[in-house]
mmCIF file of all heavy atoms in Angstrom:
data_model
loop_
_atom_site.group_PDB
_atom_site.id
_atom_site.type_symbol
_atom_site.label_atom_id
_atom_site.label_comp_id
_atom_site.label_asym_id
_atom_site.label_seq_id
_atom_site.Cartn_x
_atom_site.Cartn_y
_atom_site.Cartn_z
ATOM 1 N N MET A 232 -1.519 -20.120 -3.278
ATOM 2 C CA MET A 232 -1.607 -19.209 -2.160
ATOM 3 C C MET A 232 -3.063 -18.843 -1.898
ATOM 4 O O MET A 232 -3.848 -18.707 -2.825
ATOM 5 C CB MET A 232 -0.819 -17.926 -2.459
ATOM 6 C CG MET A 232 0.681 -18.096 -2.455
ATOM 7 S SD MET A 232 1.605 -16.596 -2.895
ATOM 8 C CE MET A 232 1.354 -15.602 -1.457
ATOM 9 N N SER A 248 7.030 0.059 0.488
ATOM 10 C CA SER A 248 6.929 1.205 -0.420
ATOM 11 C C SER A 248 6.654 2.490 0.354
ATOM 12 O O SER A 248 7.246 3.525 0.077
ATOM 13 C CB SER A 248 5.821 0.961 -1.440
ATOM 14 O OG SER A 248 5.535 2.131 -2.154
ATOM 15 N N SER A 263 14.608 22.162 2.270
ATOM 16 C CA SER A 263 14.351 23.302 1.394
ATOM 17 C C SER A 263 14.937 24.577 1.999
ATOM 18 O O SER A 263 14.915 24.787 3.207
ATOM 19 C CB SER A 263 12.846 23.464 1.186
ATOM 20 O OG SER A 263 12.594 24.581 0.385
ATOM 21 N N VAL A 267 9.562 30.095 4.226
ATOM 22 C CA VAL A 267 8.128 30.376 4.137
ATOM 23 C C VAL A 267 7.434 29.268 3.350
ATOM 24 O O VAL A 267 6.426 28.705 3.770
ATOM 25 C CB VAL A 267 7.871 31.751 3.496
ATOM 26 C CG1 VAL A 267 6.393 31.979 3.279
ATOM 27 C CG2 VAL A 267 8.483 32.843 4.342
ATOM 28 N N VAL A 268 7.966 28.950 2.192
ATOM 29 C CA VAL A 268 7.406 27.879 1.383
ATOM 30 C C VAL A 268 7.622 26.548 2.082
ATOM 31 O O VAL A 268 6.755 25.682 2.086
ATOM 32 C CB VAL A 268 8.037 27.873 -0.031
ATOM 33 C CG1 VAL A 268 7.578 26.672 -0.822
ATOM 34 C CG2 VAL A 268 7.696 29.157 -0.752
ATOM 35 N N ALA A 271 4.917 25.705 4.983
ATOM 36 C CA ALA A 271 3.614 25.274 4.474
ATOM 37 C C ALA A 271 3.732 23.932 3.764
ATOM 38 O O ALA A 271 2.867 23.063 3.916
ATOM 39 C CB ALA A 271 3.052 26.328 3.523
ATOM 40 N N THR A 273 5.986 21.646 4.363
ATOM 41 C CA THR A 273 6.266 20.625 5.369
ATOM 42 C C THR A 273 4.994 20.168 6.061
ATOM 43 O O THR A 273 4.807 18.977 6.302
ATOM 44 C CB THR A 273 7.269 21.167 6.419
ATOM 45 O OG1 THR A 273 8.449 21.583 5.745
ATOM 46 C CG2 THR A 273 7.606 20.123 7.446
ATOM 47 N N ILE A 276 3.286 17.884 3.712
ATOM 48 C CA ILE A 276 3.964 16.581 3.668
ATOM 49 C C ILE A 276 3.544 15.724 4.852
ATOM 50 O O ILE A 276 3.212 14.541 4.701
ATOM 51 C CB ILE A 276 5.495 16.766 3.639
ATOM 52 C CG1 ILE A 276 5.923 17.287 2.275
ATOM 53 C CG2 ILE A 276 6.215 15.464 3.954
ATOM 54 C CD1 ILE A 276 7.385 17.672 2.209
ATOM 55 N N HIS A 287 -2.435 2.556 5.606
ATOM 56 C CA HIS A 287 -1.671 1.326 5.791
ATOM 57 C C HIS A 287 -2.106 0.568 7.048
ATOM 58 O O HIS A 287 -2.176 -0.655 7.031
ATOM 59 C CB HIS A 287 -0.166 1.627 5.841
ATOM 60 C CG HIS A 287 0.412 1.837 4.489
ATOM 61 N ND1 HIS A 287 0.676 0.811 3.614
ATOM 62 C CD2 HIS A 287 0.747 2.963 3.834
ATOM 63 C CE1 HIS A 287 1.157 1.289 2.497
ATOM 64 N NE2 HIS A 287 1.210 2.594 2.603
ATOM 65 N N THR A 290 -5.201 -1.226 6.046
ATOM 66 C CA THR A 290 -4.958 -2.414 5.223
ATOM 67 C C THR A 290 -4.468 -3.580 6.075
ATOM 68 O O THR A 290 -4.783 -4.732 5.784
ATOM 69 C CB THR A 290 -3.956 -2.143 4.081
ATOM 70 O OG1 THR A 290 -2.723 -1.714 4.620
ATOM 71 C CG2 THR A 290 -4.504 -1.133 3.099
ATOM 72 N N ALA A 293 -7.503 -4.949 7.669
ATOM 73 C CA ALA A 293 -8.218 -5.747 6.670
ATOM 74 C C ALA A 293 -7.572 -7.120 6.510
ATOM 75 O O ALA A 293 -8.270 -8.131 6.381
ATOM 76 C CB ALA A 293 -8.249 -5.016 5.335
ATOM 77 N N ARG A 296 -8.688 -9.283 9.286
ATOM 78 C CA ARG A 296 -10.104 -9.624 9.201
ATOM 79 C C ARG A 296 -10.437 -10.595 8.073
ATOM 80 O O ARG A 296 -11.512 -11.191 8.085
ATOM 81 C CB ARG A 296 -10.933 -8.349 9.020
ATOM 82 C CG ARG A 296 -10.815 -7.349 10.157
ATOM 83 C CD ARG A 296 -11.402 -7.847 11.434
ATOM 84 N NE ARG A 296 -12.809 -8.156 11.206
ATOM 85 C CZ ARG A 296 -13.549 -8.839 12.049
ATOM 86 N NH1 ARG A 296 -13.041 -9.277 13.161
ATOM 87 N NH2 ARG A 296 -14.805 -9.080 11.775
ATOM 88 N N TRP A 305 -14.060 -5.763 4.001
ATOM 89 C CA TRP A 305 -12.626 -5.506 4.068
ATOM 90 C C TRP A 305 -11.945 -5.862 2.751
ATOM 91 O O TRP A 305 -10.991 -5.213 2.337
ATOM 92 C CB TRP A 305 -11.988 -6.275 5.228
ATOM 93 C CG TRP A 305 -12.332 -5.668 6.544
ATOM 94 C CD1 TRP A 305 -13.185 -6.177 7.485
ATOM 95 C CD2 TRP A 305 -11.849 -4.427 7.072
ATOM 96 N NE1 TRP A 305 -13.257 -5.325 8.554
ATOM 97 C CE2 TRP A 305 -12.449 -4.252 8.331
ATOM 98 C CE3 TRP A 305 -10.981 -3.455 6.602
ATOM 99 C CZ2 TRP A 305 -12.187 -3.134 9.122
ATOM 100 C CZ3 TRP A 305 -10.733 -2.350 7.392
ATOM 101 C CH2 TRP A 305 -11.326 -2.198 8.640
ATOM 102 N N LYS A 306 -12.439 -6.903 2.076
ATOM 103 C CA LYS A 306 -11.877 -7.253 0.769
ATOM 104 C C LYS A 306 -12.170 -6.149 -0.253
ATOM 105 O O LYS A 306 -11.312 -5.819 -1.070
ATOM 106 C CB LYS A 306 -12.432 -8.586 0.280
ATOM 107 C CG LYS A 306 -11.837 -9.781 0.965
ATOM 108 C CD LYS A 306 -12.381 -11.037 0.313
ATOM 109 C CE LYS A 306 -11.823 -12.278 0.928
ATOM 110 N NZ LYS A 306 -12.349 -13.484 0.265
ATOM 111 N N PHE A 308 -12.582 -3.018 0.497
ATOM 112 C CA PHE A 308 -11.684 -1.929 0.896
ATOM 113 C C PHE A 308 -10.298 -2.146 0.303
ATOM 114 O O PHE A 308 -9.695 -1.215 -0.241
ATOM 115 C CB PHE A 308 -11.618 -1.844 2.425
ATOM 116 C CG PHE A 308 -10.551 -0.922 2.923
ATOM 117 C CD1 PHE A 308 -10.736 0.448 2.887
ATOM 118 C CD2 PHE A 308 -9.359 -1.419 3.419
ATOM 119 C CE1 PHE A 308 -9.747 1.306 3.342
ATOM 120 C CE2 PHE A 308 -8.367 -0.573 3.878
ATOM 121 C CZ PHE A 308 -8.558 0.793 3.839
ATOM 122 N N LEU A 309 -9.774 -3.373 0.395
ATOM 123 C CA LEU A 309 -8.457 -3.669 -0.179
ATOM 124 C C LEU A 309 -8.453 -3.471 -1.681
ATOM 125 O O LEU A 309 -7.474 -2.979 -2.248
ATOM 126 C CB LEU A 309 -8.021 -5.096 0.164
ATOM 127 C CG LEU A 309 -7.594 -5.353 1.596
ATOM 128 C CD1 LEU A 309 -7.232 -6.826 1.779
ATOM 129 C CD2 LEU A 309 -6.415 -4.485 1.985
ATOM 130 N N PHE A 322 1.829 6.355 -12.117
ATOM 131 C CA PHE A 322 2.273 7.736 -12.282
ATOM 132 C C PHE A 322 3.658 7.955 -11.695
ATOM 133 O O PHE A 322 4.452 8.721 -12.231
ATOM 134 C CB PHE A 322 1.271 8.717 -11.664
ATOM 135 C CG PHE A 322 0.031 8.895 -12.482
ATOM 136 C CD1 PHE A 322 -1.213 8.602 -11.948
ATOM 137 C CD2 PHE A 322 0.100 9.343 -13.790
ATOM 138 C CE1 PHE A 322 -2.360 8.763 -12.698
ATOM 139 C CE2 PHE A 322 -1.039 9.510 -14.550
ATOM 140 C CZ PHE A 322 -2.280 9.214 -13.999
ATOM 141 N N LEU A 325 6.112 6.347 -14.280
ATOM 142 C CA LEU A 325 6.213 7.195 -15.475
ATOM 143 C C LEU A 325 6.908 8.511 -15.164
ATOM 144 O O LEU A 325 7.760 8.973 -15.930
ATOM 145 C CB LEU A 325 4.822 7.461 -16.057
ATOM 146 C CG LEU A 325 4.106 6.267 -16.692
ATOM 147 C CD1 LEU A 325 2.705 6.659 -17.133
ATOM 148 C CD2 LEU A 325 4.905 5.718 -17.851
ATOM 149 N N ILE A 335 15.796 4.693 -5.069
ATOM 150 C CA ILE A 335 14.799 4.305 -4.086
ATOM 151 C C ILE A 335 13.392 4.764 -4.471
ATOM 152 O O ILE A 335 12.409 4.105 -4.138
ATOM 153 C CB ILE A 335 15.205 4.806 -2.685
ATOM 154 C CG1 ILE A 335 14.436 4.060 -1.612
ATOM 155 C CG2 ILE A 335 15.035 6.303 -2.566
ATOM 156 C CD1 ILE A 335 15.019 4.189 -0.238
ATOM 157 N N LEU A 337 12.093 4.871 -7.573
ATOM 158 C CA LEU A 337 11.598 3.889 -8.534
ATOM 159 C C LEU A 337 11.329 2.551 -7.860
ATOM 160 O O LEU A 337 10.318 1.903 -8.140
ATOM 161 C CB LEU A 337 12.604 3.717 -9.681
ATOM 162 C CG LEU A 337 12.168 2.827 -10.837
ATOM 163 C CD1 LEU A 337 10.902 3.363 -11.489
ATOM 164 C CD2 LEU A 337 13.270 2.706 -11.862
ATOM 165 N N LEU A 344 3.376 -1.008 -6.763
ATOM 166 C CA LEU A 344 2.657 -1.658 -7.854
ATOM 167 C C LEU A 344 2.485 -3.147 -7.582
ATOM 168 O O LEU A 344 1.387 -3.694 -7.709
ATOM 169 C CB LEU A 344 3.393 -1.426 -9.181
ATOM 170 C CG LEU A 344 2.757 -2.027 -10.424
ATOM 171 C CD1 LEU A 344 1.407 -1.388 -10.703
ATOM 172 C CD2 LEU A 344 3.678 -1.862 -11.614
ATOM 173 N N PHE A 349 -0.994 -7.798 -5.596
ATOM 174 C CA PHE A 349 -1.275 -8.869 -4.641
ATOM 175 C C PHE A 349 -2.570 -8.594 -3.867
ATOM 176 O O PHE A 349 -3.328 -9.526 -3.576
ATOM 177 C CB PHE A 349 -0.113 -9.056 -3.673
ATOM 178 C CG PHE A 349 0.960 -9.970 -4.192
ATOM 179 C CD1 PHE A 349 2.123 -9.457 -4.725
ATOM 180 C CD2 PHE A 349 0.805 -11.345 -4.151
ATOM 181 C CE1 PHE A 349 3.112 -10.284 -5.216
ATOM 182 C CE2 PHE A 349 1.784 -12.188 -4.637
ATOM 183 C CZ PHE A 349 2.940 -11.661 -5.169
ATOM 184 N N PHE A 354 -8.485 -10.025 -3.258
ATOM 185 C CA PHE A 354 -9.915 -9.775 -3.412
ATOM 186 C C PHE A 354 -10.530 -10.757 -4.404
ATOM 187 O O PHE A 354 -11.632 -11.244 -4.206
ATOM 188 C CB PHE A 354 -10.168 -8.345 -3.895
ATOM 189 C CG PHE A 354 -11.598 -8.090 -4.274
ATOM 190 C CD1 PHE A 354 -12.541 -7.837 -3.299
ATOM 191 C CD2 PHE A 354 -11.997 -8.122 -5.601
ATOM 192 C CE1 PHE A 354 -13.858 -7.619 -3.634
ATOM 193 C CE2 PHE A 354 -13.315 -7.900 -5.948
ATOM 194 C CZ PHE A 354 -14.256 -7.649 -4.956
ATOM 195 N N LEU A 356 -9.631 -13.841 -5.368
ATOM 196 C CA LEU A 356 -9.663 -15.268 -5.072
ATOM 197 C C LEU A 356 -10.897 -15.647 -4.262
ATOM 198 O O LEU A 356 -11.298 -14.942 -3.358
ATOM 199 C CB LEU A 356 -8.424 -15.683 -4.280
ATOM 200 C CG LEU A 356 -7.128 -15.849 -5.042
ATOM 201 C CD1 LEU A 356 -6.031 -16.293 -4.089
ATOM 202 C CD2 LEU A 356 -7.271 -16.848 -6.161
ATOM 203 N N THR A 362 -12.022 -29.650 3.507
ATOM 204 C CA THR A 362 -12.754 -30.627 4.301
ATOM 205 C C THR A 362 -11.853 -31.802 4.584
ATOM 206 O O THR A 362 -11.095 -32.269 3.728
ATOM 207 C CB THR A 362 -14.026 -31.108 3.575
ATOM 208 O OG1 THR A 362 -13.664 -31.648 2.314
ATOM 209 C CG2 THR A 362 -14.999 -29.953 3.378
ATOM 210 N N SER A 364 -11.873 -35.709 5.788
ATOM 211 C CA SER A 364 -12.767 -36.844 5.961
ATOM 212 C C SER A 364 -11.984 -38.043 6.478
ATOM 213 O O SER A 364 -10.836 -38.265 6.123
ATOM 214 C CB SER A 364 -13.452 -37.202 4.631
ATOM 215 O OG SER A 364 -12.478 -37.610 3.702
ATOM 216 N N GLY A 366 -12.106 -41.516 6.053
ATOM 217 C CA GLY A 366 -12.825 -42.508 5.297
ATOM 218 C C GLY A 366 -11.976 -43.458 4.665
ATOM 219 O O GLY A 366 -11.946 -44.433 4.233
#
Side-chain angles (χ1 to χ4, degrees):
M232 289 177 72
S248 169
S263 178
V267 174
V268 174
T273 303
I276 288 172
H287 281 284
T290 59
R296 299 293 301 167
W305 286 108
K306 284 185 179 181
F308 170 77
L309 287 178
F322 285 121
L325 291 176
I335 198 164
L337 186 60
L344 181 64
F349 274 101
F354 171 80
L356 282 181
T362 57
S364 64

